[in-house]
C-alpha cells in the first residue's frame, strides 16, 4: 500500500489537486448512512468474500436506496476499498489503546503490522475481498486508495513514535507498506505461511534502523 512521501506525518497526506472539486463534508445523517453501508459491506464480505458483496444486497442490508448507494460508492471496488480504510481505522484505534511494545521503532512497527495482520487473519473472507478490490482498483478509485495509504502510513508512523519524519524515513515507510501488502496477497493465495509473513515483515522493518543511522551521520 504505497505511502505518500512528504516531510511530516501531517504533511504526509496527499494534497488535493486544484483541478479536483472539493467534496463538502457529510452531514450527521449522511455519515450515519455511510457507516451503515460500510458495515453491511464488511458483513457480506466476511460471510462470502468478494463475490458475496452485491450492491443490491448492500443497499438492502444498510436500508438505503440502490441509487443512493451508488452516489456514495460508484462500484463494488470503490466500496470495498473504502471498507478496507474503515477497517484499518478501527485497527488504529485498537492499537492506540494498547500501543506496541519494543525497544526500537523497527520492533514496534513489526509488532503493529503483525497485530493488524492477525486481525485480518481472523476474517479471511473479508481480508480477501478487500485486498482483491485494492488490486483491481483503477484510477477512478484513487481517492479511496489514497485513504488506505494515508491510514496505513499514520499507523506505521504512530508505532515509530514520529510526528515529523524525514524523507528517508517516509521512503522506508513506503517500502514497508509495499511489503505488508504483498505479504497479505501471498498469504491469502496460500503461497506464504504466517511464519514466513512474520519473517518478511520483521526483515523489512529493519529499514527503519538504517534511516536512523543515516540521519545521525
Amino acid at each position: 500500500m504505497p505511502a505518500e512521501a512528504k516531510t511530516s506525518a501531517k504533511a504526509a497526506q496527499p494534497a488535493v489537486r486544484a483541478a479536483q472539486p472539493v467534496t463538502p463534508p457529510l452531514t450527521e445523517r449522511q455519515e450515519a448512512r455511510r457507516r451503515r453501508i460500510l458495515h453491511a459491506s464488511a458483513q457480506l464480505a466476511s460471510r462470502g468474500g468478494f463475490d458475496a458483496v452485491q450492491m443490491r444486497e448492500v443497499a438492502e442490508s444498510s436500508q438505503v436506496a440502490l441509487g443512493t448507494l451508488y452516489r456514495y460508492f460508484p462500484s463494488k471496488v470503490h466500496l470495498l476499498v473504502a471498507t478496507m480504510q474503515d477497517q484499518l481505522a478501527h485497527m488504529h484505534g485498537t492499537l492506540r489503546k494498547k500501543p506496541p511494545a519494543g525497544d526500537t521503532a523497527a520492533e514496534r512497527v513489526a509488532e503493529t503490522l503483525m497485530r493488524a495482520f492477525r486481525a485480518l487473519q481472523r476474517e479471511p473472507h473479508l481480508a480477501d475481498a478487500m485486498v482483491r478490490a485494492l488490486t483491481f482498483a483503477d484510477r477512478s478509485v484513487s481517492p479511496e486508495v489514497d485513504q488506505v495509504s494515508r491510514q496505513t502510513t499514520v499507523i506505521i508512523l504512530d508505532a515509530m513514535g514520529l510526528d515529523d519524519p524525514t524523507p528517508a524515513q517516509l521512503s522506508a515507510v513506503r517500502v514497508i507498506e509495499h511489503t505488508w501488502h504483498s505479504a497479505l496477497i501471498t498469504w491469502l493465495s496460500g503461497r506464504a505461511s504466517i511464519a514466513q509473513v512474520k519473517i518478511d515483515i520483521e526483515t523489512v522493518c529493519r529499514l527503519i534502523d538504517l534511516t536512523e543511522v543515516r540521519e545521525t551521520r
Side-chain angles (χ1 to χ4, degrees):
M1 302 172 193
E4 300 295 328
K6 302 294 179 182
T7 56
S8 70
K10 293 180 180 178
Q13 318 305 319
V16 177
R17 297 179 180 85
Q20 293 179 333
V22 177
T23 303
L26 298 179
T27 65
E28 185 175 339
R29 184 175 179 180
Q30 289 171 329
E31 181 59 35
R33 185 182 297 131
R34 185 178 186 275
R35 296 221 56 80
R36 293 202 309 273
I37 292 170
L38 291 172
H39 178 73
S41 170
Q43 289 292 312
L44 289 168
S46 295
R47 294 170 194 161
F50 186 85
D51 293 335
V53 181
Q54 300 298 321
M55 297 296 271
R56 186 171 297 279
E57 289 190 37
V58 173
E60 291 175 357
S61 297
S62 56
Q63 299 180 326
V64 301
L66 185 59
T68 300
L69 172 59
Y70 276 109
R71 284 199 295 274
Y72 281 82
F73 303 103
S75 74
K76 178 165 75 172
V77 171
H78 287 80
L79 173 57
L80 282 170
V81 174
T83 301
M84 185 168 197
Q85 188 277 328
D86 190 56
Q87 293 293 310
L88 287 171
H90 282 298
M91 289 181 197
H92 192 199
T94 301
L95 289 163
R96 280 181 164 174
K97 291 176 182 177
K98 187 179 179 182
D103 296 328
T104 68
E107 290 174 353
R108 294 192 299 273
V109 172
E111 180 186 334
T112 292
L113 293 179
M114 285 309 299
R115 282 168 62 181
F117 183 86
R118 291 188 184 100
L120 292 172
Q121 185 186 4
R122 290 192 288 271
E123 295 282 0
H125 292 306
L126 174 59
D128 181 66
M130 295 187 300
V131 171
R132 284 178 64 184
L134 198 65
T135 303
F136 295 156
D138 59 20
R139 289 184 180 181
S140 71
V141 198
S142 291
E144 289 81 4
V145 173
D146 287 346
Q147 287 288 341
V148 169
S149 175
R150 284 193 288 267
Q151 188 67 62
T152 310
T153 298
V154 171
I155 288 172
I156 294 173
L157 291 176
D158 270 8
M160 292 170 68
L162 289 178
D163 291 324
D164 190 23
T166 65
Q169 288 168 329
L170 283 170
S171 181
V173 169
R174 185 167 58 250
V175 176
I176 291 167
E177 286 188 43
H178 291 327
T179 303
W180 188 68
H181 183 208
S182 178
L184 281 174
I185 293 173
T186 54
W187 170 71
L188 287 166
S189 65
R191 293 183 287 118
S193 64
I194 302 299
Q196 186 60 57
V197 167
K198 187 173 187 293
I199 291 170
D200 291 349
I201 294 299
E202 289 175 346
T203 299
V204 75
C205 285
R206 292 181 192 135
L207 285 174
I208 295 169
D209 296 333
L210 295 179
T211 61
E212 290 177 350
V213 170
R214 180 187 299 178
E215 292 301 320
T216 57
R217 289 179 179 175

